[in-house]
Amino acid sequence: MKPGAQPAYNSPAVPPAPLLLSCEAVTKAHGARPLFSDLSLGLRQGDRVGLIGPNGSGKSTLLRILAGTEEPDSGTRTARRLVRIGYVAQDPALPEGLTVEEAVGEALRRGAGTDSAGAPGAASIAAAASAEAAPVDPYEIERRVAIALGRAGFRDPSQLVDGLSGGWRKRLAIARELVLDPDVLLLDEPTNHLDLEGILWLEGLLAAAPYACLAVSHDRSFLEHFGNRVLELNRAYPRGLLEAEGRYSDFLIKRDEVLANQAEYQATLANKVRREVEWLRQGAKARTTKSKARHAAAGRLIQELEEVKARSVERTAGIDLTASGRKSKKLLVARGLAKELGGRRVLDGVDVALAPGQRLGLVGPNGSGKTTLLALLAGTLEPDAGEIERASWLRVVRFEQDRASLDPAMSLRRALAPEGDTVLYGDRSLHVASWARRFLFRPEQLDTPVGRLSGGEQARTLIARLMLQPADLLLLDEPTNDLDIPTLEVLEESLLDFPGGLVLVTHDRLLLDQVSTHVLALDGAGHATPYADYAQWEADRPRRESAATARSAAGGAGGVGASSPAAAGPPARPARRRLSYHEQREWDGMEGRIVAAEGELAACQQAVADPVVATDPTALAERWQSLEAARAAVERLYARWAELEAKKG
């Protein structure tokens, strides 16, 4: 079987699900540069498809073609009659000046039509934009808007769109499509801007969804949990597309097999070409029809070999972070850091200790203070309280999430080599064109303004600049945004090899799990809790959610981002009635017991947060067990308080 060929799939007992959306033999080019050609794929009912590929391979363009918002150069896109298609762009446009409730309602009214069953819905994404909306029962609109907002996690429908963070804007964009009850949902980088809690929410949402879904993503953990099929758009394959049933891990096995077959086929083809070239050099003994045919066949073999060779060249960014070689045992120790921004306490009593070889992963909801903590550690922001001890002449290199250090008007040439046409990397002087090629830039891009580069290209530009600075301590704020999977894998290897200290903020769970030696979780209320690794933090998620629910039932400070029972004060005592004598006595003493339990919990949290203990896995595990027991005690008290409250009626 030729490399890249797909095995036939026959299942006579189970008929295939209905085809909802497809494209046949589509071709698209940007200028003279082809993105893909003669490409065909389909989405069926129940599909959960992950679409991956290198930056610039045309994933977002293909998604827009499937959505019907962009036309292919050739080929056809076909949607089943009256199928409803939802599409969430990578950076979705949202109506400003509205509340989130109004924004979702506006999407429903704009897209409402009548489907084959007579229910409100969008006939198609194209029709929704042009057709006049049919009247919809206002009570039905209110019901559907409330459901969509609830599924997206919004608790306050009166929030203004203008004040939403990037993660909540992404949730709102998804809610605006879900309210239309789509048959197919197309998502372009849906995990971008979402925090880890948001990504877990999205996975749960899609796992239970009745619609087919195709998502472009570079998040390997998301692909593993989300899909039942993976497609890779890549010129490395004969058809430009590789398809594998199953999870992302199944796809990796299939890809390795295909590439191994392709390498074997290339070797066989090279041997054939070598023999034919030797025959051609000897010259044909007679200009017979047979020899002419052999000449033509040899030419075709040579051309095919060139095509296979061109496909087999895999270009990846050459990332190699430079350490200063410092031998200090301690790089940085921070104690009791506190910071207030905009009248809100972002950090309150946070401790951090870093030594060479230690890689700290920072997790927490959006707005919990991760970027603020990085700024404090870098020294670009001063704490309101606490102290930071840095090793003398500590060299800190920081990767900024907002890419503020990049001047959009500056050329790529100047961004990569500010002082001329060469860069000094280690002890070598390299021409800027060679340095650019290392990060997958073409020579003709050197005079392109940085502002016209894609998100992935801007991220690679920042990494290229970062690599030129020897560092003792790396502070990386979402370095994986917009990076494709091959570049992510190279970055991961480089971080693992980096001998200095590292603080990493990322929503890429696989990178976080592979790279970090310990994890610090910010709860959004200013507090921080250390974990041994990402898996322990994720395993603790049910406990955090139940604690938030208990606080909400007890009138505590629940809300988005709260995760520590100690964040809520003891419940107020309402009027007493309908309790037995013993229950009344229990109620009378409940406030004091909760205060005492929360005091014990706070002491355990302080013990776990001790920076000295953070470097001792055995001591950290023991204190963690004590912390878990204290948390469980507080949760039991809150649950019992809620039970007595309910009984009082």
Side-chain angles (χ1 to χ4, degrees):
M1 187 170 66
K2 270 196 172 186
Q6 302 289 333
Y9 175 73
N10 295 310
S11 179
V14 181
L19 190 64
L20 302 176
L21 180 65
S22 65
C23 60
E24 296 83 25
V26 297
T27 297
K28 188 71 178 181
H30 280 172
R33 180 168 166 265
L35 291 175
F36 45 80
S37 60
D38 200 28
L39 193 68
S40 300
L41 61 90
L43 280 175
R44 297 182 180 275
Q45 188 175 316
D47 269 347
R48 298 284 184 277
V49 182
L51 178 61
I52 65 175
N55 288 335
S57 58
K59 303 182 297 296
S60 294
T61 302
L62 179 58
L63 212 64
R64 290 193 295 270
I65 290 173
L66 287 170
T69 62
E70 186 170 332
E71 292 295 322
D73 296 337
S74 63
T76 58
R77 171 257 192 197
T78 305
R80 191 179 180 187
R81 184 174 178 271
L82 295 182
V83 71
R84 298 183 296 270
I85 300 172
Y87 168 56
V88 180
Q90 190 169 346
D91 294 303
L94 296 173
E96 304 295 335
L98 301 181
T99 66
V100 294
E101 183 177 40
E102 292 167 341
V104 175
E106 182 264 345
L108 180 56
R109 291 183 180 88
R110 176 175 49 82
T114 304
D115 64 17
S116 57
S124 71
I125 193 166
S130 58
E132 244 182 70
V136 182
D137 183 352
Y139 294 105
E140 176 67 9
I141 290 179
E142 184 178 350
R143 183 186 70 84
R144 289 174 62 175
V145 168
I147 291 173
L149 287 174
R151 290 165 70 188
F154 286 93
R155 298 185 180 183
D156 181 6
S158 64
Q159 285 178 281
L160 288 176
V161 173
D162 311 50
L164 295 177
S165 67
W168 286 100
R169 290 178 73 88
K170 182 62 69 74
R171 288 190 186 223
L172 181 61
I174 294 172
R176 280 165 55 87
E177 297 302 324
L178 293 182
V179 77
L180 296 172
D181 192 21
D183 301 302
V184 177
L185 184 62
L186 305 175
L187 302 172
D188 195 355
E189 294 288 0
T191 63
N192 273 10
H193 307 296
L194 290 179
D195 55 23
L196 291 173
E197 294 283 3
I199 295 173
L200 294 171
W201 158 80
L202 180 63
E203 286 179 356
L205 177 76
L206 297 179
Y211 42 78
C213 184
L214 185 148
V216 172
S217 180
H218 299 307
D219 188 321
R220 295 162 292 175
S221 293
F222 174 77
L223 291 166
E224 178 70 16
H225 295 109
F226 153 72
N228 54 25
R229 186 154 56 106
V230 178
L231 307 176
E232 183 178 12
L233 198 59
N234 197 321
R235 298 191 190 101
Y237 310 119
R239 295 191 299 114
L241 186 73
L242 179 63
E243 178 177 346
E245 298 289 335
R247 297 173 178 268
Y248 178 66
S249 52
D250 300 314
F251 165 80
L252 293 178
I253 296 172
K254 172 71 174 291
R255 184 182 68 179
D256 288 345
E257 291 175 355
V258 169
L259 293 179
N261 289 340
Q262 185 163 300
E264 185 178 342
Y265 180 71
Q266 180 179 335
T268 303
L269 194 59
N271 286 331
K272 287 183 180 179
V273 168
R274 179 178 50 78
R275 290 194 296 268
E276 292 303 304
V277 168
E278 289 175 356
W279 178 81
L280 288 170
R281 285 173 178 168
Q282 292 173 0
K285 294 181 179 179
R287 295 296 174 185
T288 62
T289 302
K290 185 174 181 180
S291 70
K292 290 178 181 177
R294 188 168 179 179
H295 269 277
R300 289 193 295 271
L301 281 175
I302 292 171
Q303 183 178 356
E304 184 178 0
L305 179 60
E306 291 302 315
E307 291 174 355
V308 172
K309 282 182 176 179
R311 288 199 305 268
S312 65
V313 175
E314 184 178 1
R315 299 182 67 217
T316 57
I319 301 174
D320 186 10
L321 300 168
T322 305
S324 66
R326 176 187 287 272
K327 303 299 182 183
S328 307
K329 292 184 179 180
K330 288 287 184 183
L331 298 176
L332 180 148
V333 177
R335 301 182 183 87
L337 295 184
K339 188 65 182 179
E340 186 175 295
L341 295 174
R344 183 173 74 91
R345 182 57 65 96
V346 179
L347 300 171
D348 189 5
V350 175
D351 298 328
V352 175
L354 291 166
Q358 290 187 334
R359 300 184 293 270
L360 174 65
L362 282 182
V363 300
N366 288 337
S368 60
K370 300 186 294 294
T371 299
T372 301
L373 180 55
L374 288 184
L376 294 176
L377 298 180
T380 58
L381 191 66
E382 290 298 319
D384 297 336
E387 59 179 3
I388 302 176
E389 294 179 9
R390 299 179 179 89
S392 58
W393 306 103
L394 182 71
R395 285 185 276 193
V396 179
V397 173
R398 184 180 176 193
F399 183 101
E400 300 163 328
Q401 180 183 358
D402 58 8
R403 301 168 186 168
S405 62
L406 288 179
D407 180 358
M410 180 184 293
S411 69
L412 175 62
R413 182 189 306 274
R414 290 283 73 84
L416 294 175
E419 299 177 359
D421 284 338
T422 60
V423 299
L424 186 64
Y425 177 59
D427 56 355
R428 291 180 298 160
S429 179
L430 300 174
H431 191 272
V432 65
S434 298
W435 188 243
R437 277 196 298 271
R438 182 177 181 130
F439 297 93
L440 311 183
F441 293 111
R442 303 183 303 278
E444 60 268 25
Q445 289 181 282
L446 287 174
D447 294 321
T448 303
V450 168
R452 290 175 54 189
L453 298 177
S454 69
E457 289 169 334
Q458 290 183 5
R460 294 203 302 270
T461 302
L462 280 175
I463 292 173
R465 291 163 60 140
L466 180 149
M467 280 177 53
L468 297 176
Q469 307 173 59
D472 304 310
L473 176 61
L474 288 177
L475 306 176
L476 304 183
D477 194 356
E478 296 290 3
T480 63
N481 280 355
D482 303 311
L483 292 182
D484 57 22
I485 290 176
T487 307
L488 274 173
E489 291 171 342
V490 175
L491 176 63
E492 182 178 296
E493 292 175 5
S494 183
L495 293 178
L496 286 170
D497 291 338
F498 181 69
L502 169 67
V503 182
L504 175 65
V505 175
T506 180
H507 63 256
D508 189 306
R509 289 163 290 170
L510 187 58
L511 180 72
L512 187 66
D513 191 45
Q514 296 278 26
V515 169
S516 59
T517 57
H518 54 300
V519 170
L520 187 66
L522 305 182
D523 66 359
H527 308 111
T529 303
Y531 291 85
D533 52 27
Y534 169 77
Q536 192 179 65
W537 176 85
E538 187 167 341
D540 192 41
R541 187 179 178 220
R543 198 270 326 150
R544 296 193 303 271
E545 291 178 347
S546 65
T549 302
R551 287 197 310 277
S552 179
V560 178
S563 61
S564 168
R573 271 190 295 181
R576 304 166 183 156
R577 46 196 177 92
R578 282 191 246 170
L579 293 178
S580 69
Y581 172 76
H582 293 292
E583 288 171 337
Q584 186 66 60
R585 291 194 62 180
E586 183 181 5
W587 175 266
D588 290 339
M590 185 64 73
E591 182 174 344
R593 293 170 64 192
I594 288 178
V595 169
E598 289 189 336
E600 177 65 23
L601 175 60
C604 290
Q605 286 175 327
Q606 187 174 0
V608 168
D610 186 343
V612 176
V613 176
T615 60
D616 184 346
T618 303
L620 182 60
E622 292 175 354
R623 297 195 183 190
W624 177 261
Q625 290 177 356
S626 299
L627 178 62
E628 287 297 296
R631 280 176 172 161
V634 171
E635 288 174 28
R636 285 194 298 270
L637 287 171
Y638 272 108
R640 178 56 176 162
W641 183 90
E643 182 182 342
L644 293 173
E645 171 71 6
K647 190 170 183 179
K648 282 163 58 65

